[in-house]
Amino acid sequence: MTPPTPHDTAADTTVGTEVGTDVGTAVDTEAVARSVAAEHGLVLRGPAGEGVDFVVHRVGRPGLGDAVLRIPRHRQYLSPYGDVGSAALVRQEHAIAAHLGPLGLPVATPLRQIERPDGLLVSLAAHVEHDDVPLDGRDVGRFLAALHAATPPRTPLAYQAPGDFTGFFVKRLGDRHANLRRAAPSLPPLPAPLRVTAALEAVRTPHRLLHLDVRRQNLLSRGGRLQAVVDWSNALIGPPLMELARVAEYALLPDNGIDASEVLAGYAESTAVPDLESPAALLYRLDTAIMLALVFHSVAPDAERAKILTGRAEHLLGLLHTAGNPARPVRPVTVAGPSTTHDRGERQH
């Protein structure tokens, strides 16, 4: 198992914690799993994965094959845009999968949302057979290209503030940067908000559904071919460049198990790959780097990793302040050990 790390929203409540939890709303997930299984004629097969927000159990359905039961750890999560109920995340995952499946995109087929007598909402989805054979990254790129070509669903997204995307992102980046500066006071300042806004708005593309957690733990494959993409809790509707910039940053961390060059090659089979060192791309990469640095300053404390990833954020800030001076190229990061991203993969086993 990989260490717990936060979801992808920058909370102001705790330095470095991007989603907090209301400890008074903790859920006994084992008891819920047993109760749901008994009430719905399911056979518990054991844990299938876990994340900060959810625990996943594999269950048997007599005569119907296996499924997975996704149970929230808490009833409420804290975000900078207000408290988010776990039910909203369950509905979001279900709605996105229901929207994408008929379009031919690889998702875990949603089966049922089960409301408990106490109001807790859990989800049941089809089990996806998968293995640990190395995944062909080009499959991931093809998936992202198809996702970014599809009309987004109309379902509300739990962690997306209403209104203009650029304004939402600028505020989030500012909040994250301020949080990291509390832990690392020498962190350079952000470029002026008007400059950040201008850089983002210089890239004018249709906004599409973004997964924003593309890493091996959330990519179910078999024989090296992608079978399903799971865990849509971090989804936003925004510019595809943000997704590809995040992939590029995630790929710098070997334990995320993705090869950016392969992913981008698959993406380029059907659509042009944008410049991942443009000012807008560097801002999206910075957003990711700061989030990762915050993880190791608080949620999964690791002084060495925090130092490395804070250095990464400093490097990206330097590139932005020098307008992408080629004398300061984007350099890789080496962070050894278990997964460094913000949520343990809810892989189905």
Side-chain angles (χ1 to χ4, degrees), residues 59-81:
V59 296
R61 299 177 298 154
L64 295 174
D66 283 3
V68 291
L69 191 63
R70 195 165 180 254
I71 303 170
R73 289 183 181 274
H74 290 264
R75 296 175 183 276
Q76 290 277 44
Y77 300 96
L78 306 180
S79 86
Y81 314 110

Side-chain angles (χ1 to χ4, degrees), residues 136-145 244 247 259-274 276:
D136 183 349
R138 292 169 299 179
D139 261 11
V140 181
R142 295 179 193 111
F143 159 76
L144 289 176
L244 299 179
V247 166
D259 183 323
S261 62
E262 288 189 356
V263 173
L264 296 176
Y267 195 90
E269 290 178 10
S270 58
T271 189
V273 175
L276 293 178

Side-chain angles (χ1 to χ4, degrees), residues 70 88-98 110 229-233:
R70 195 165 180 254
L89 297 178
V90 171
R91 294 189 187 101
Q92 175 172 308
E93 184 92 9
H94 189 98
I96 289 174
V229 178
V230 298
D231 192 355
W232 291 85
S233 291

Side-chain angles (χ1 to χ4, degrees), residues 97 125 152 167 170 172-173 205 245 254 277 287 300 315 345:
V170 170
R172 185 174 82 165
L173 181 61
T205 55
E277 295 187 34
D287 177 67
H315 176 69

Side-chain angles (χ1 to χ4, degrees), residues 14-166:
T14 305
V15 174
T17 301
E18 298 188 87
V19 170
T21 56
D22 181 343
V23 295
T25 66
V27 173
D28 184 341
T29 58
E30 293 293 328
V32 171
R34 291 193 298 269
S35 178
V36 170
E39 292 170 9
H40 295 272
L42 304 172
V43 179
L44 287 175
R45 306 284 197 209
E50 59 181 313
V52 158
D53 291 351
F54 289 88
V55 172
V56 182
H57 286 265
R58 184 170 177 174
V59 296
R61 299 177 298 154
L64 295 174
D66 283 3
V68 291
L69 191 63
R70 195 165 180 254
I71 303 170
R73 289 183 181 274
H74 290 264
R75 296 175 183 276
Q76 290 277 44
Y77 300 96
L78 306 180
S79 86
Y81 314 110
D83 291 358
V84 174
S86 62
L89 297 178
V90 171
R91 294 189 187 101
Q92 175 172 308
E93 184 92 9
H94 189 98
I96 289 174
H99 176 79
L100 297 179
L103 299 178
L105 290 166
V107 293
T109 303
L111 300 174
R112 185 175 180 185
Q113 298 177 72
I114 300 172
E115 186 171 1
R116 309 288 296 135
D118 60 2
L120 182 73
L121 193 66
V122 302
S123 67
L124 190 69
H127 170 69
V128 178
E129 291 292 342
H130 60 280
D131 56 36
D132 292 324
V133 173
L135 172 63
D136 183 349
R138 292 169 299 179
D139 261 11
V140 181
R142 295 179 193 111
F143 159 76
L144 289 176
L147 177 68
H148 298 162
T151 301
R154 295 184 179 274
T155 185
L157 299 178
Y159 293 123
Q160 184 152 13
D164 173 66
F165 179 87
T166 297

